[in-house]
Amino acid sequence: MHGPDSGRDHHAAGTSSSAIRGALLLAIYCAGLGVPFLITGLAFGKATAALTVIKRHYPVVIGAAASS
């Protein structure tokens, strides 16, 4: 996953005016990578609850799909 964007961000952090600014740039970059995974993990519980309803009514769902 070391593409042009990653290289640009690491270069900007490495050549920034201070170590604090470079660390901040890398922290923002890492948050941008991690936040979508955290959101997916939090939504996973709700998705499995929705799938439980489908699993409970599976014969009806299959019957409706077979008749169309």
Side-chain angles (χ1 to χ4, degrees):
M1 206 156 115
H2 295 287
D5 293 328
S6 176
R8 179 200 61 221
D9 294 338
H10 286 105
H11 178 74
T15 59
S16 64
S17 57
S18 70
I20 299 289
R21 179 170 160 77
L24 179 65
L25 288 171
L26 287 177
I28 292 170
Y29 173 75
C30 290
L33 286 175
V35 168
F37 289 103
L38 293 173
I39 292 171
T40 302
L42 292 172
F44 189 75
K46 293 187 186 287
T48 52
L51 291 174
T52 302
V53 172
I54 293 173
K55 196 185 297 184
R56 190 173 347 149
H57 300 293
Y58 192 69
V60 175
V61 172
I62 293 300
S67 65
S68 51

